[in-house]
Amino acid sequence: MSDIFHFVPGSAPLLISIPHLGSIVPDELRPSMTEVGLRSGDTDWHLDRLYAFAEKLGASFLWARYSRYVVDLNRPPNDESLYPGQAKTGLCPTHTFDGQPLYADGRDHIPDAERDARRAAYWDPYHAQLRDEIERLRAIHGKVLLWEAHSIASLIPRLFEGKLPDLNIGTSSGASCAPAMEAAVRRELEACDYTWAVNGRFKGGYITRHYGAPQRNVHAIQLEMCQSTYMEERHPYAWRDGEAARVTPVVERLVRAAFEQL
């Protein structure tokens, strides 16, 4: 068992990846970080609990243990922007999504050598496991669905105008999965009671774009859901039973709709 990530192999060609679930800040960084940074507020809280339904589908699970403030596992290793022209949240961030400093000295960048060391210590092992599991499942089944699970605060004025849709599907504008798979997910969205978008503000992060390869029978879909649909968006980021009970079946239907297209 790695202390960098949590991994449980499954029996079905379905892999649930949660790269922003981690909230641990390593001891060597803690003295230099602000209280806000130590809270790891931009974590995708509780998604392991929300996606527990996928156990009965035979899914594999991979999720991070360390905070995205240490290194963002869903950003390119060269730190290029995923959305050119828009506010960037980088590989090793120095500020929260809403602009609060993560470090007591107010730094606005991480030195190259430190960034490279963090990438080697945290980013590389996660992606090695991700690649290995995709190839293991593809070797057994000939096909894989990689479901990228994410959540975010519904209002972040620094990054987005207005409230985000509740459920945001990203398929790299249709490049990361088969058209029938995206269409099946869209039908489920049309039938639900939540606001939604497909390839709107969120088209999929690095993992969806990089690993999704329908021509190799590797299909990747990202769901970025508003945290208001299942939890409190402010510290201490508590799970909300009623809201979670309502949205979880919807998320399950989305996953099942895509999975059935395999």
Side-chain angles (χ1 to χ4, degrees):
M1 178 66 69
S2 170
D3 65 347
I4 303 301
F5 53 77
H6 172 92
F7 172 64
V8 177
S11 58
L14 173 62
L15 171 55
I16 308 292
S17 166
I18 319 178
H20 296 149
L21 183 64
S23 59
I24 298 173
V25 175
D27 290 343
E28 63 268 22
L29 287 183
R30 296 184 69 84
S32 64
M33 296 190 76
T34 61
E35 182 179 352
V36 169
L38 293 174
R39 286 180 179 174
S40 191
D42 294 314
T43 293
D44 295 5
W45 303 101
H46 309 299
L47 287 186
D48 53 335
R49 183 175 178 180
L50 193 146
Y51 277 90
F53 65 80
E55 293 179 13
K56 62 180 178 285
L57 300 178
S60 298
F61 289 89
L62 175 64
W63 65 67
R65 297 184 185 277
Y66 282 82
S67 172
R68 69 187 304 162
Y69 292 165
V70 181
V71 65
D72 193 326
L73 303 176
N74 199 32
R75 296 295 178 269
N78 63 1
D79 203 20
E80 68 183 1
S81 177
L82 291 171
Y83 297 96
Q86 300 183 30
K88 176 185 174 184
T89 60
L91 184 68
C92 295
T94 57
H95 290 75
T96 65
F97 283 178
D98 59 5
Q100 298 180 74
L102 299 178
Y103 294 91
D105 61 8
R107 70 187 71 173
D108 60 6
H109 75 283
I110 302 298
D112 290 349
E114 182 178 349
R115 184 190 65 195
D116 291 347
R118 293 191 198 181
R119 187 177 62 214
Y122 302 100
W123 195 98
D124 288 352
Y126 189 91
H127 283 265
Q129 183 63 66
L130 186 59
R131 287 192 299 270
D132 287 349
E133 185 60 7
I134 289 172
E135 291 309 313
R136 183 186 78 86
L137 294 174
R138 198 168 74 93
I140 295 170
H141 302 282
K143 55 195 174 183
V144 186
L145 170 60
L146 168 62
W147 188 275
E148 270 287 291
H150 294 264
S151 69
I152 192 169
S154 57
L155 290 166
I156 308 178
R158 175 174 170 260
L159 300 180
F160 315 111
E161 182 178 349
K163 181 189 177 298
L164 289 167
D166 297 321
L167 305 172
N168 300 270
I169 291 290
T171 65
S172 190
S173 297
S176 68
C177 73
M181 193 172 286
E182 181 181 308
V185 170
R186 184 184 290 270
R187 286 193 295 272
E188 289 297 334
L189 289 168
E190 290 171 347
C192 80
D193 294 329
Y194 292 92
T195 58
W196 57 272
V198 175
N199 292 311
R201 175 57 182 85
F202 298 97
K203 300 182 187 300
Y206 174 77
I207 291 175
T208 300
R209 302 184 196 195
H210 181 74
Y211 293 99
Q215 69 277 11
R216 298 181 61 243
N217 280 323
V218 179
H219 305 269
I221 297 177
Q222 175 180 293
L223 171 59
E224 183 83 67
M225 56 192 298
C226 283
Q227 292 176 336
S228 57
T229 62
Y230 72 95
M231 59 168 275
E232 295 287 349
E233 294 188 342
R234 296 182 180 276
H235 187 266
Y237 314 113
W239 173 269
R240 299 169 70 184
D241 286 329
E243 287 78 359
R246 190 165 75 91
V247 78
T248 300
V250 177
V251 175
E252 180 172 358
R253 288 195 292 272
L254 297 177
V255 174
R256 284 183 178 271
F259 188 46
E260 287 170 1
Q261 291 299 316
L262 278 180

